[in-house]
Amino acid sequence: HPPTQPTTMAAIAARSVVFARVAAPQVGTARVQKSSFMGSSKAFQVARVSCNARRTMTVQAADRPMWYIGSEPPSHLDGTLAGDYGFDPAQLGKDPASLVRFQEAELIHGRWAMLGAAGVIAVEAGGYGDWLSAISASQQTYLGTPVPFGPAIVGGVVVVAMTFVEAKRNEQTDPVKRCYPGGNFDPFGLAKGGKNDPLDINTLKLKEIKNGRVAMLAMLGFFAQTSTGTTPLANLAAHVSDPWHINVSINAEAIPFL
């Protein structure tokens, strides 16, 4: 097969060029590490930029998946953020400060959505009622156990607790630690290295943001299902029993033009 060898050689040459470009910033990093103790802070920053540069070049050299096949990512989305598929049609993250803020907001909302979606399903599946009626129930319960407080007091406790937690979180100025604080929030030591491959941490970050995005869509669906007057699992059971007649098309509030 004559074409095989030239194609292989071209691939090897291209790979060698990529490796050469990726390895180049390491030289600058090594020189920075020879600085004095007083310059260690600057050395760390330069080294971190070099690492980001290596990651950026690696992402650009690879076949990067995009949110739309054949689309070009905006310049401010270089593939270094977890879950970055180049989606920003409104250029909302063009400002670096806004991009950091949006990344944090998406991650925090995704985490709460995962907890919320799991709670909605688990409570109803366990036979402890449903989230829709629990909001206005005069007798509040927790896993079947009566709570000696009304909805107003329970809501007030939640507001006070969330205000305290968010106030403590906002005391952190490091944008990375604001999203991934570690410590007690990493009981399995996944972010400490050691036996764990650092690449696995990036994989976990990607899985987290992907599941968070799905959970946010799920919670949006749960909110929309309130127009049916029933709960998510009840809607699912009704749809499975008669999918051709019980679906979104019969909900005039969901599709008002039908």
Side-chain angles (χ1 to χ4, degrees):
H1 306 281
T4 302
Q5 186 173 0
T7 302
T8 304
M9 294 301 293
I12 294 175
R15 190 178 297 112
S16 300
V17 172
V18 172
F19 286 164
R21 292 180 61 193
V22 171
Q26 293 181 356
V27 178
T29 305
R31 290 198 301 267
V32 171
Q33 290 175 350
K34 293 181 180 180
S35 61
S36 64
F37 175 79
M38 296 300 293
S40 59
S41 178
K42 184 176 180 180
F44 172 76
Q45 294 176 0
V46 174
R48 184 172 61 180
V49 170
S50 299
C51 291
N52 288 337
R54 291 196 298 270
R55 288 183 58 193
T56 301
M57 287 189 292
T58 303
V59 172
Q60 291 175 346
D63 186 14
R64 177 183 171 188
M66 303 298 298
W67 72 278
Y68 183 77
I69 298 176
S71 63
E72 291 293 331
S75 59
H76 58 277
L77 296 179
D78 56 9
T80 56
L81 298 177
D84 176 11
Y85 294 97
F87 181 79
D88 188 12
Q91 300 289 313
L92 298 177
K94 192 173 183 179
D95 177 55
S98 298
L99 180 60
V100 172
R101 177 58 182 163
F102 289 147
Q103 179 198 13
E104 177 186 349
E106 181 186 34
L107 184 61
I108 299 300
H109 281 80
R111 288 169 177 170
W112 282 114
M114 286 188 282
L115 288 173
V120 168
I121 297 299
V123 169
E124 186 176 356
Y128 297 109
D130 60 86
W131 78 279
L132 189 58
S133 61
I135 299 175
S136 57
S138 58
Q139 177 59 66
Q140 296 291 304
T141 61
Y142 183 78
L143 297 179
T145 303
V147 177
F149 306 109
I153 296 179
V154 172
V157 171
V158 171
V159 170
V160 172
M162 287 299 303
T163 301
F164 174 77
V165 171
E166 281 298 294
K168 297 297 291 183
R169 190 175 69 85
N170 284 325
E171 292 178 359
Q172 178 59 254
T173 58
D174 188 336
V176 176
K177 290 185 177 180
R178 286 174 64 90
C179 295
Y180 306 100
N184 294 331
F185 295 95
D186 184 20
F188 299 104
L190 298 178
K192 294 181 179 179
K195 296 182 179 179
N196 298 311
D197 187 349
L199 294 178
D200 289 340
I201 298 175
N202 295 327
T203 301
L204 292 175
K205 289 181 179 179
L206 179 60
K207 291 180 178 179
E208 180 184 37
I209 194 62
K210 282 184 175 180
N211 283 278
R213 289 167 177 170
V214 172
M216 285 189 282
L217 289 175
M219 288 304 302
L220 179 62
F222 293 160
F223 295 149
Q225 282 179 320
T226 59
S227 62
T228 66
T230 57
T231 58
L233 292 185
N235 276 325
L236 177 61
H239 171 69
V240 171
S241 64
D242 190 5
W244 294 106
H245 297 92
I246 303 179
N247 49 57
V248 69
S249 65
I250 68 172
N251 189 346
E253 295 185 21
I255 308 181
F257 53 83
L258 289 181

